[in-house]
Amino acid sequence: MASHRRPKQPSRARVTVLTTAAAAAVAISAQAASAAPSEKPSKDEVKAKVDKLYEEAEQATEKYNGAKEKQERLQKDISTIQDSVARGQEELNELRDSIGLAAAAQYRSGSIDSSVQLFLSADPDDYLDKASTLDQLSGQQVEALKKIQEKQRQLAQERSEAAGKLKDLAATRTELGKKKKEVQGKLAEAQKLLNSLTAAEKAAMAAEDARASRSASSRVDLGNSKAASGRAAAAFSAAQSKIGSPYVYGASGPSSFDCSGLTSWAYAQAGVSIPRTSQAQANAGMRVSRSELQVGDLVLFYGDLHHVGLYAGNGQVLHAPRTGTTVRYESIDNMPFQFGVRI
């Protein structure tokens, strides 16, 4: 007789294990799908990202230049103050020696003046403040003590000023290091993107940049615009002599430049000193509108004024664009123009 026993049902524990295993398999599959390599960016996409990183690097570069300029100014100020303190200390020592000689002479004669004794005490300021003793001093001694007091106050003030500037210098050096690291980080990130390209893509991009530099250097119609002044003409001529020089962040010539390094170097060749950074150069002269631009005027770009060049005439600017390029002409319309500055 056939058996009519019901088939054995799986236990609840077995069902739970199977369900968990199935869920895990689904999760692993989903993770594998998400971990699958994304589509490689195109050459144009890489170029756009690299250009953006170069722009960010230039922003950081101008901040780096500002910190570097401040560091140099502080070092010069501190050196000047320290020299003044050294000279002041010598004068103070001479004043003290003169009083000391007078005291020695009185000691040898056996009649040292009580006022000199008080002066030789640890606190001559306190002595001078006591009006009751002033009549014990000769006019010459009073004058000598007053000079010593004034010199002591002056030296204390200068030492305090030097200490403050030294503290500021330490903070500036820290800021300089951070900005330098930021620039290097942006450039390294850009290089990593470039390294992701194939050899053929790298060659094509390099060829495009080379063509842009050649056409911007030799095929530009500058029109017949006049220079804003003799010094502007001299500065522009100096900058023209550097066409083809490479962009290097923090460089201010004579063989490589960043944007504000080129403009400050060019005007220095014309005998004019202007600030080092683009933001400071924006306030170095009279602001002019686009329609008022003349050859040699500074031209500021971007809302934060992190880029500067020299107006070349006919809607062209001569500048050091960014890492990977050289000093060249470029249309003023290629960047967000803000205003011009006439030096």
Side-chain angles (χ1 to χ4, degrees), residues 279 281-289 292 305 339-342:
Q279 289 90 348
Q281 290 177 14
N283 298 310
M286 180 181 71
R287 293 191 179 186
V288 294
S289 66
E292 297 172 312
L305 309 177
F339 53 82
V341 173
R342 186 156 298 155

Side-chain angles (χ1 to χ4, degrees), residues 207-219:
E208 289 173 8
D209 285 340
R211 283 195 299 272
S213 293
R214 282 197 302 273
S215 63
S217 300
S218 58
R219 302 176 187 175

Side-chain angles (χ1 to χ4, degrees), residues 125-196:
D125 282 350
D126 181 60
Y127 168 60
L128 271 184
D129 290 337
K130 296 176 181 177
S132 61
T133 63
L134 287 177
D135 59 353
Q136 300 178 29
L137 295 170
S138 69
Q140 185 176 2
Q141 289 171 329
V142 169
E143 188 63 28
L145 286 172
K146 285 184 177 179
K147 285 182 179 179
I148 288 174
Q149 278 186 309
E150 180 59 32
K151 185 57 66 176
Q152 286 174 325
R153 292 191 189 100
Q154 180 184 340
L155 288 176
Q157 182 177 350
E158 289 180 344
R159 287 186 175 115
S160 176
E161 184 180 357
K165 287 186 178 291
L166 283 168
K167 185 177 180 180
D168 197 6
L169 178 60
T172 301
R173 282 176 171 160
T174 299
E175 181 187 2
L176 186 63
K178 288 180 180 177
K179 294 306 175 188
K180 184 176 182 179
K181 188 174 181 180
E182 183 180 350
V183 175
Q184 291 173 333
K186 297 291 184 184
L187 296 180
E189 191 176 350
Q191 189 59 55
K192 184 177 179 180
L193 280 169
L194 290 172
N195 290 343
S196 70

Side-chain angles (χ1 to χ4, degrees), residues 8-75:
K8 186 178 180 181
Q9 297 295 320
S11 69
R12 178 175 297 179
R14 179 175 174 80
V15 170
T16 301
V17 169
L18 290 172
T19 303
T20 303
V26 170
I28 292 172
S29 298
Q31 289 176 355
S34 63
S38 58
E39 185 179 348
K40 183 178 178 294
S42 69
K43 177 176 69 68
D44 290 341
E45 289 173 333
V46 168
K47 186 178 187 306
K49 290 179 181 178
V50 167
D51 286 346
K52 180 63 175 175
L53 285 168
Y54 282 155
E55 182 185 335
E56 291 172 355
E58 188 178 38
Q59 289 175 303
T61 293
E62 287 306 293
K63 293 177 182 177
Y64 165 84
N65 289 338
K68 188 175 181 181
E69 185 179 40
K70 183 178 180 181
Q71 174 184 258
E72 292 169 353
R73 184 174 63 252
L74 284 169
Q75 287 174 326

Side-chain angles (χ1 to χ4, degrees), residues 218-240:
S218 58
R219 302 176 187 175
V220 174
D221 178 10
L222 301 180
N224 297 313
S225 302
K226 293 183 179 179
S229 64
R231 58 180 177 271
F236 181 69
S237 179
Q240 281 182 307

Side-chain angles (χ1 to χ4, degrees), residues 321-332:
R322 57 169 176 77
T323 299
T325 64
T326 61
V327 175
R328 68 190 189 191
Y329 297 111
E330 193 165 342
S331 170
I332 198 172

